[in-house]
Amino acid sequence: MIRSITIDDEPLALKQMVSYIDKTPFLELIGQFESALQAITFLQENEVDLMFVDINMPDLSGMDFVKSLNNPPKVIFTTAYSEYALEGFRVDAIDYLLKPIDYSLFLKASEKARERIQPKENESAEVRSDDNFLFIKSEYKILRIVLSDIKYIEGMREYVRIHLGNEKPVMTLMSMKKMEEYLPKTNFMRVHRSYIVNLDKITTVERNRIVFDEKVYIPVSEQYKPKFQKYLDDNFLV
């Protein structure tokens, strides 16, 4: 795990960064601070791999803070002002995120940091022991996933997020194409470039969307619509 801290004087921005770190499988949040001065003592007493640092802060700016460190951890700057980008790269920043920060950009920057900090491990669902379950690697642990527990699978660039009903989603490093190969075709169907659904979990279809609950609408794209429509027709009671 990449030991990470985040520094931002804006409470809402700090909260967002904390949530992003928490849901990224290879990042471990070990500290959060509202000023660079608070982080200095922590860095002296703890081993930190990566810092997410806001640039515009009172007392000590994020840029001056990083410059003051003799052997700083890797850093990703966050700010609402684009004019600091060049200066950020001069201090060997891994990336520069412009607020408001989308999670996809945060993940991309974090992956760049991962490549710099440690070798990229082959995290994938490489062990399949039975037609009823599979094993995947997530957060450096091997997890047993019961196929019948899966509601749907969401593609996120190099990762997939496995949604398991009311449980916390599980992320693993794998392409959607590879995941599709592991899943039984009788129960699972790809309905969109970014979604695979468990057919047994579908209860409502509305306007070319699969409705799992009040907040989850899975689109059925034109590419996959004929196959999904055939499944509906084959199971439709006249």
Side-chain angles (χ1 to χ4, degrees), residues 23-40:
K23 73 176 182 178
T24 303
F26 52 86
L27 298 181
E28 177 187 7
L29 180 68
I30 61 172
Q32 53 180 300
F33 308 95
E34 294 184 356
S35 76
L37 294 176
Q38 293 175 357
I40 291 176

Side-chain angles (χ1 to χ4, degrees), residues 138-195:
S138 180
E139 300 182 9
Y140 299 90
K141 296 180 291 187
I142 296 178
L143 303 179
R144 183 178 185 269
I145 303 294
V146 178
L147 297 182
S148 61
D149 290 341
I150 299 173
K151 289 183 65 175
Y152 65 95
I153 297 166
E154 180 183 6
M156 303 177 64
R157 287 166 43 85
E158 297 179 356
Y159 293 83
V160 295
R161 178 181 288 168
I162 303 172
H163 294 263
L164 303 165
N166 295 325
E167 297 180 33
K168 181 181 178 181
V170 175
M171 286 183 66
T172 188
L173 180 62
M174 174 175 283
S175 68
M176 287 289 281
K177 181 179 179 181
K178 191 69 174 178
M179 176 58 75
E180 195 174 9
E181 293 174 0
Y182 278 95
L183 298 170
K185 302 298 185 291
T186 54
N187 304 93
F188 291 87
M189 182 182 294
R190 191 165 185 177
V191 296
H192 188 275
R193 180 174 59 87
S194 300
Y195 294 100

Side-chain angles (χ1 to χ4, degrees), residues 150-154 176 179-181 183-202 210 212 218-221 223-235:
I150 299 173
K151 289 183 65 175
Y152 65 95
I153 297 166
E154 180 183 6
M176 287 289 281
M179 176 58 75
E180 195 174 9
E181 293 174 0
L183 298 170
K185 302 298 185 291
T186 54
N187 304 93
F188 291 87
M189 182 182 294
R190 191 165 185 177
V191 296
H192 188 275
R193 180 174 59 87
S194 300
Y195 294 100
I196 298 171
V197 299
N198 184 344
L199 298 171
D200 294 336
K201 298 292 186 180
I202 296 176
I210 299 165
F212 279 118
I218 305 298
V220 180
S221 68
Q223 179 182 354
Y224 299 98
K225 185 178 178 180
K227 186 176 180 180
F228 182 67
Q229 186 61 51
K230 184 179 184 306
Y231 164 76
L232 292 179
D233 292 341
D234 290 344
N235 292 276

Side-chain angles (χ1 to χ4, degrees), residues 9-62:
D9 65 305
E10 299 176 16
L12 290 178
L14 184 63
K15 183 178 180 179
Q16 181 186 55
M17 296 304 293
V18 168
S19 69
Y20 282 179
I21 292 172
D22 283 343
K23 73 176 182 178
T24 303
F26 52 86
L27 298 181
E28 177 187 7
L29 180 68
I30 61 172
Q32 53 180 300
F33 308 95
E34 294 184 356
S35 76
L37 294 176
Q38 293 175 357
I40 291 176
T41 301
F42 184 86
L43 286 172
Q44 292 172 346
E45 300 174 353
N46 297 273
E47 186 176 351
V48 176
D49 301 314
L50 177 63
M51 303 187 297
F52 295 89
V53 182
D54 181 35
I55 290 179
N56 295 283
M57 294 186 291
D59 299 327
L60 181 63
S61 75

